[in-house]
Every structure is written in C-alpha cells, then in structure tokens.
Amino acid sequence: MRTTKTSTTILQSIEDRVSSRLRSLPFIQALKDWYAGYCRRQVLIDLLRYDDHILEDMGHTRQELLAISKLPLSTDAHEVLRELKALRSQ
C-alpha cells in the first residue's frame, strides 16, 4: 500500500529543514546576539530618563550609565555596572 503525503505535510517538512539550516548559520546567531545586546543596552539608556537622585538610590550614576552606553554591544553592560558598583563600595 502506497501512502501519499499531503501538501501541508510536505510544506511542514520543508519548513523544518529550512529552519534547522537557519539555526545553524553563524550569521543568524550573530544577528540574534547583536539584537539581544541592543535590547539590553536600550534598557540601560532608558535609565537616563530618571533624575540623579533616583539613579543614586538605584546605585548608579549618570556618568557611569553614559560611559557604558558608549561601550560596544558585545560588552556585558550589566557586568560592568556590577563591577563599578563593587569598586565604589570599597
């Protein structure tokens, strides 16, 4: 007995193969990493909307946030903030 594949089954099979190939592409992963870094950086930049007293209550300074916003996106800004906070508390 011969089974025939429906068009949706064939399309699903093609989508699965293409999806698995795209996931393995280094360019796609690099693009995802860049976008994730960009989104995290935007969160830090949004902190600049607060006034200096609120930033101080959070444990940050405006100068630190401005300096970190200029770092490359590959730099983990949260880690840099933690290190600066630790240096300030010593």
Side-chain angles (χ1 to χ4, degrees):
M1 182 196 260
R2 190 173 173 183
T3 60
T4 58
K5 291 184 176 182
T6 64
S7 61
T8 55
T9 306
I10 293 170
L11 286 175
Q12 184 63 41
S13 173
I14 292 170
E15 286 177 3
D16 290 344
R17 281 185 277 154
V18 169
S19 179
S20 68
R21 286 182 186 151
L22 285 178
R23 275 186 250 123
S24 65
L25 289 176
F27 173 75
I28 299 296
Q29 188 58 47
L31 191 60
K32 286 180 180 179
D33 293 343
W34 177 87
Y35 185 70
Y38 173 79
C39 290
R40 286 190 304 268
R41 189 62 48 92
Q42 289 304 110
V43 170
L44 287 175
I45 291 172
D46 286 343
L47 289 175
L48 291 170
R49 295 180 184 175
Y50 296 110
D51 80 2
D52 290 337
H53 297 291
I54 293 175
L55 290 175
E56 186 179 327
D57 288 344
M58 289 184 212
H60 308 301
T61 66
R62 185 167 305 280
Q63 293 76 22
E64 289 173 348
L65 294 176
L66 286 170
I68 290 171
S69 70
K70 295 175 184 171
L71 293 174
L73 290 176
S74 59
T75 305
D76 186 356
H78 293 288
E79 183 61 33
V80 174
L81 269 178
R82 275 189 226 110
E83 288 174 9
L84 290 172
K85 202 173 189 180
L87 287 173
R88 216 177 325 120
S89 67
Q90 290 178 353

